[in-house]
Amino acid sequence: MCSISHLTYNRSSREDRYSKIKMGKEIPQTQAILNCIDLSNPNIDHNVDLLKQSCTDSGFFYLINHGISQDFMDEVFAQSNTFFTLPLNEKMKLLRNDSHKGYTPVLDEILDPQNQLHGDYKEGYYIGVEDNDSLHHKPFYGPNQWPASDVLPGWRETMEEYQRRALEVGKALARIIALALGLDANFFDKPETLREPIAILRLLHYQDKVSDPSQGLYAAGAHTDYGLITLLATDDVQGLQICKNKDAKPQIWEDVTPLKGAFIVNLGDMLERWSNCTFKSTLHRVIGNGQERYSIAYFLEPGHDCLVECLPTCKSDENPPKFPPIYYRDYFSQRFKETHADLHVYSKQ
């Protein structure tokens, strides 16, 4: 387990935070205890065991010593913050396009429509893959939108370098996942999976509002991620919560404490599907406490033409495949449309 004893954790402020939120039928939050995987550990078997335990329990874990320096992470956060401090009219010039690249305004995304009054109290910026000209006709590939260099000098270069480094971390982690599923370590290292992935960097800025679940108000509504794995870097403002059993009545939500220098990693729905539910994709949300919060999510997804079907090590006569095969492009396009506002709403404003 990761030690968080060195982190500042103010219990009274936490209790005050939740005294402001009408929790309805929810059970008061507890602190999540997550495994900590050290990517520099030469004992690969130890990491495989830790990951397997994490992926069958909470679906979340910390990843440390991943090779991206704290100085560089600080620079990425600083550049992200400079974008979100631009005037709204400047940000709207970079509104996400049909390739799903660019700016997403506050309330644009509604992740839990059954329980949310309106969209999330967050704004974001999508940056995706654009270095392969042959892929530009496919959704989620193609050119990114970039702020002008005279407005945000060095911004593009910083984000592109972060994408390169995060992809290497994701590939290293995918090798451990493959071993944990009884596969060859290079199983995911194929053109249709992680050599030409739908790798999406998303910068996020949460508003300084207090969430109220009883009124359907969230910084980010409860959801599971779409794809393979998510690498999340956060500032030191708490807000992320996980629910290990989404079917529990009432649901039990656990706070995930930020760990400086670590990624918070979670599995996506597609890996749960691929593994025939051997590994789990866990429900999570963000609860605002009146403070601004910044995070950087890197979503590592299979390639556009990847056919996702039950892994050979995850099925048997007693445990047949639970899902039919599906091309990732079809699955991802549908999930994206379900959670984001139609772009036409902005042309009417």
Side-chain angles (χ1 to χ4, degrees):
M1 302 296 180
C2 278
S3 171
I4 58 173
S5 59
H6 66 285
L7 298 174
T8 301
Y9 183 62
N10 188 323
R11 183 176 180 86
S12 62
S13 65
R14 178 176 181 269
E15 292 172 346
D16 178 66
R17 166 185 166 189
Y18 288 110
S19 70
K20 299 175 183 177
I21 300 175
K22 301 173 184 176
M23 299 310 297
K25 296 181 179 179
E26 294 184 356
I27 292 176
Q29 283 70 30
T30 59
Q31 194 71 26
I33 304 298
L34 303 181
N35 282 337
C36 194
I37 295 176
D38 184 344
L39 205 54
S40 69
N41 186 351
N43 187 344
I44 189 67
D45 291 336
H46 178 68
N47 280 346
V48 167
D49 289 342
L50 277 179
L51 186 139
K52 189 180 298 185
Q53 182 187 36
S54 301
C55 295
T56 55
D57 175 33
S58 66
F60 274 75
F61 54 90
Y62 295 109
L63 186 69
I64 63 171
N65 295 326
H66 42 67
I68 301 180
S69 71
Q70 188 60 51
D71 285 346
F72 183 65
M73 288 302 310
D74 291 343
E75 174 63 18
V76 178
F77 270 97
Q79 291 281 18
S80 173
N81 293 5
T82 59
F83 173 79
F84 289 119
T85 57
L86 291 175
L88 180 59
N89 66 315
E90 287 295 320
K91 292 182 285 191
M92 289 298 288
K93 293 176 183 177
L94 296 164
L95 181 68
R96 64 179 172 87
N97 56 25
D98 291 335
S99 295
H100 313 295
K101 311 290 182 61
Y103 176 63
T104 55
V106 175
L107 307 183
D108 176 84
E109 187 174 20
I110 182 165
L111 292 164
D112 185 13
Q114 290 186 330
N115 294 303
Q116 285 185 255
L117 181 64
H118 48 59
D120 296 343
Y121 279 121
K122 71 176 190 292
E123 55 184 340
Y125 200 92
Y126 282 113
I127 303 169
V129 176
E130 69 169 6
D131 62 349
N132 189 336
D133 290 339
S134 68
L135 299 176
H136 283 180
H137 65 286
K138 298 178 180 179
F140 306 103
Y141 292 96
N144 286 303
Q145 299 194 86
W146 299 107
S149 58
D150 59 334
V151 176
L152 295 178
W155 200 89
R156 173 176 180 170
E157 291 77 9
T158 298
M159 298 308 164
E160 288 181 328
E161 179 61 24
Y162 183 73
Q163 281 183 301
R164 285 190 287 270
R165 297 190 191 187
L167 178 58
E168 290 308 307
V169 175
K171 287 182 175 180
L173 184 56
R175 288 191 280 274
I176 301 175
I177 291 173
L179 291 171
L181 288 168
L183 303 164
D184 182 83
N186 296 316
F187 177 85
F188 294 108
D189 188 20
K190 303 171 185 175
E192 66 272 19
T193 50
L194 297 188
R195 280 192 223 161
E196 295 178 356
I198 301 176
I200 298 173
L201 172 62
R202 194 178 189 195
L203 313 175
L204 292 163
H205 172 219
Y206 294 88
Q207 305 298 293
D208 55 352
K209 297 185 180 296
V210 176
S211 296
D212 187 345
S214 71
Q215 298 299 316
L217 302 176
Y218 297 87
H223 65 287
T224 52
D225 289 348
Y226 309 155
L228 192 65
I229 53 176
T230 302
L231 306 177
L232 181 71
T234 73
D235 62 14
D236 59 0
V237 177
Q238 196 151 310
L240 177 63
Q241 297 180 342
I242 64 174
C243 176
K244 294 181 183 179
N245 183 359
K246 61 186 176 183
D247 297 319
K249 302 294 181 184
Q251 292 178 334
I252 299 174
W253 290 93
E254 300 179 40
D255 291 313
V256 176
T257 297
L259 186 62
K260 193 170 184 65
F263 282 120
I264 299 169
V265 182
N266 66 282
L267 311 182
D269 295 341
M270 189 49 69
L271 185 54
E272 179 175 276
R273 181 178 182 132
W274 226 336
S275 69
N276 210 25
C277 298
T278 300
F279 286 175
K280 64 186 295 185
S281 175
T282 300
L283 198 65
H284 53 285
R285 68 184 186 183
V286 177
I287 295 295
N289 64 356
Q291 294 178 273
E292 286 184 291
R293 180 176 180 269
Y294 291 87
S295 66
I296 299 170
Y298 184 77
F299 302 101
L300 189 55
E301 323 283 356
H304 189 271
D305 294 324
C306 181
L307 180 65
V308 178
E309 53 187 337
C310 184
L311 296 169
T313 57
C314 298
K315 61 182 178 181
S316 64
D317 291 341
E318 295 74 27
N319 183 33
K322 298 176 176 64
F323 309 97
I326 188 171
Y327 282 103
Y328 194 70
R329 60 175 179 264
D330 300 327
Y331 168 82
F332 193 49
S333 295
Q334 182 58 40
R335 290 293 303 271
F336 196 93
K337 290 176 183 177
E338 289 170 355
T339 57
H340 288 75
D342 191 308
L343 286 171
H344 291 99
V345 303
Y346 298 111
S347 62
K348 299 174 183 178
Q349 294 178 359

